[in-house]
Amino acid sequence: MSTVQPPDPRDRPARLTVGVVGAGRVGPALAASLQLAGHRPVAVSGVSDASRRRAAHLLPGVPLVPPAEVLERADLVLLTVPDDALPALVEGLAETGAVRPGQLLVHTSGRYGAKILEPALRAGALPLALHPAMTFTGTPVDVQRLAGCSFGVTAPEELRLAAEALVVEMGGEPEWIAEEHRPLYHAALALGANHLVTLVAQSMELLREAGVDAPARMLGPLLGAALDNALRSGDAALTGPVARGDAGTVAAHISELRAHAPQTVAGYLAMARATADRALAHGMLKPELAEDLLGVLADGSDKDRGTGAEGDNR
């Protein structure tokens, strides 16, 4: 094992050269944000035509080079590849000698903490996990959205201040996540953000089916208010027929969904049961009404199993 001690990050130059390995939607936006803070993007790697176009748009003039050359040129390297590709990428870069002692190596995976960068740490790199809690489009609007965005930060304790400083420079708000809590943290974000998109898209499809010409315009104020209320009040913001125990209305919903959009029934039932449990636990749903409601939901589940509707919910 090498006896060379990595330099203290506090002794690093104030401005860094920045490289991006993986020009997906996240990497170029973060590099562009760091550029606004005075750092200098110097290299980016990308494979697909879309990633190359994205890099050219968000980081004009920055050369496209192979990953090993990105590490050769940059003091700070953003590893912005899909979660499943990250372990092999880190192993490969470390084994080929691409990692330099004292180099800041940052990944943006929500799932992993800093330990996934252990091979690079053994090569002398300074490992940071900085995950922006934001959805990205691959366009310049992403850079603006980073202002005030929370970042899940995980790093060795001695690098904590350096990690948090980088987040602040990108306009974000650092939130420390313990290594062992990264998968739970990421599951929470996926539950809220990823599933929200599915729910909203399904809702818009159903409104079109019902004859609404502008479902987005109809849903915008409603969903905005619901989100604001939920963030402010938590379960106290629950409303609607499930929270009220209107079993007849819920039964009508299930019947209509089964007739017009059977692929949505399983999701409706799952969310209705979860909503009923929370409303009951918080005293919003009366026990005498919950019995009929849960009976309707159980009956809906039995019919789905009998008709194979769950198998259609892909």
Side-chain angles (χ1 to χ4, degrees):
M1 180 177 295
S2 172
T3 59
V4 176
Q5 294 297 314
D8 190 320
R10 289 171 296 185
D11 296 333
R12 300 183 62 84
R15 301 299 89 183
L16 303 169
T17 53
V18 179
V20 180
V21 176
R25 296 181 179 182
V26 178
L30 297 187
S33 181
L34 288 168
Q35 186 174 35
L36 291 176
H39 300 290
R40 185 165 61 91
V42 293
V44 59
S45 72
V47 177
S48 69
D49 290 340
S51 66
R52 290 170 176 269
R53 287 194 299 270
R54 192 179 298 117
H57 187 45
L58 287 170
L59 301 171
V62 176
L64 282 158
V65 299
E69 193 170 340
V70 173
L71 271 72
E72 182 181 334
R73 298 186 182 196
D75 302 315
L76 164 64
V77 180
L78 302 172
L79 303 179
T80 51
V81 297
D83 289 359
D84 289 349
L86 183 60
L89 173 66
V90 177
E91 288 277 3
L93 291 172
E95 288 176 1
T96 58
V99 179
R100 293 186 284 108
Q103 192 168 45
L104 284 165
L105 214 57
V106 178
H107 80 70
T108 58
S109 167
R111 170 186 173 187
Y112 294 112
K115 284 186 178 179
I116 197 66
L117 298 172
E118 181 67 26
L121 174 63
R122 292 195 299 268
L126 307 178
L128 310 176
L130 307 180
H131 174 252
M134 178 55 63
T135 182
F136 287 78
T137 64
T139 66
V141 71
D142 296 332
V143 180
Q144 302 170 25
R145 286 178 173 173
L146 288 174
C149 168
S150 291
F151 280 67
V153 176
T154 306
E157 186 61 35
E158 62 271 20
L159 295 177
R160 179 168 179 163
L161 291 179
E164 293 177 347
L166 282 173
V167 170
V168 170
E169 284 197 311
M170 288 186 280
E173 296 287 341
E175 186 73 39
W176 188 257
I177 308 295
E179 182 81 33
E180 65 271 20
H181 291 157
R182 290 291 290 207
L184 179 61
Y185 152 80
H186 195 224
L189 295 181
L191 183 66
N194 301 161
H195 297 172
L196 176 63
V197 174
T198 300
L199 291 171
V200 172
Q202 287 184 342
S203 182
M204 289 197 293
E205 288 173 355
L206 294 171
L207 287 172
R208 291 190 190 97
E209 180 75 13
V212 175
D213 291 330
R217 185 175 64 201
M218 176 175 282
L219 284 174
L222 173 64
L223 298 184
L227 178 59
D228 184 63
N229 291 342
L231 293 175
R232 290 173 182 271
S233 305
D235 288 303
L238 285 171
T239 186
V242 173
R244 291 193 299 266
D246 292 339
T249 298
V250 172
H253 288 177
I254 296 170
S255 177
E256 286 298 298
L257 292 176
R258 188 171 286 114
H260 296 282
Q263 73 278 7
T264 68
V265 174
Y268 180 95
L269 291 170
M271 291 304 299
R273 283 192 292 268
T275 300
D277 288 344
R278 299 189 77 88
L280 189 60
H282 287 79
M284 303 173 66
L285 175 59
K286 296 178 181 178
E288 60 270 22
L289 296 177
E291 185 175 355
D292 288 342
L293 174 66
L294 294 175
V296 166
L297 297 176
D299 183 57
S301 295
D302 290 340
K303 288 182 179 179
D304 275 351
R305 282 192 288 270
T307 60
E310 287 183 342
D312 293 334
N313 189 34
R314 294 187 290 270

